[in-house]
Amino acid sequence: MISTWTRAAGRTCRAVRGAPAPATYGLIALCTLIFALGPASGLVPGYGSGEALLSAQRTYFRHWGVVPAELFDGPAGAALTPATALFVHGSWVHLLGNMLFLFVFGAMTEERMGRVEFTLFYVGCGYLALLGYAAVNAASEQSLVGASGAVSAVLGAFLYLFPRARVTSLLPFLFFLPLRFPAWVVLPFWAALQWLAAGQASDGPGVAYLAHLLGFGLGFGYAWVRYGRTTRVKAAPAPVTEGEKQP
């Protein structure tokens, strides 16, 4: 088993190094590997089943995720959890939703920024998005995990850098027909949906829409300040399935 994982990891590393967007694909590979080895994937028998598995998941998410009530009044190590939470996901749907958006929008954004700047941008904006969510919900005992804040920042930067790039969207009220719209139509519409959902969200477990909005705003603001109006690029079309199901 260990040798199989080692060979698979070696092949993945070689593929990432030769990819046109190594940071984007590396982040996707890292998130997928961490999820596969964690209790939420159901792939590791050592976590048990039934109640034992649920207990392992709760402990895992609380250890690596952001618990707002502990972030500001807990141990010093809690300050690292907004960074570790970016690489932890709660289910296969959660993971695949985030990684799909990162795959579609990350490569072009990374190509514009460069791999080092893009990686720092991704982690930094994701950290701040989760930190902002925790500050607003400082009394919450719920664990928050997922890359949505960081991925939303990539969407915000993409909107500023490639506003005219045409993306494919599947709209439920149009029977999921694939339609192509410019990014300046699709992404603000997505952000508006997050805003509406955030206003109706409860304090219990669910989607952290506020983290999405904070990440989106941070990403757009970073690209605006960092690159300015003269560097905006008219990009080739990029496909995407519109909508995100989990944080």
Side-chain angles (χ1 to χ4, degrees), residues 172-223:
F173 55 84
L174 292 179
F175 303 100
F176 295 98
L177 293 175
L179 301 175
R180 296 182 67 78
F181 299 99
W184 66 265
V185 172
V186 173
L187 295 180
F189 177 73
W190 174 87
L193 292 179
Q194 307 307 300
W195 176 271
L196 292 174
Q200 300 175 359
S202 66
D203 295 331
V207 180
Y209 294 108
L210 178 59
H212 299 182
L213 289 170
L214 290 172
F216 189 83
L218 286 167
F220 187 88
Y222 176 87

Side-chain angles (χ1 to χ4, degrees), residues 111-132:
E111 184 178 358
R112 180 65 188 88
M113 291 183 176
R115 66 185 68 176
V116 175
E117 181 180 349
F118 176 80
T119 302
L120 295 175
F121 159 82
Y122 178 91
V123 175
C125 288
Y127 184 100
L128 292 175
L130 293 180
L131 185 66

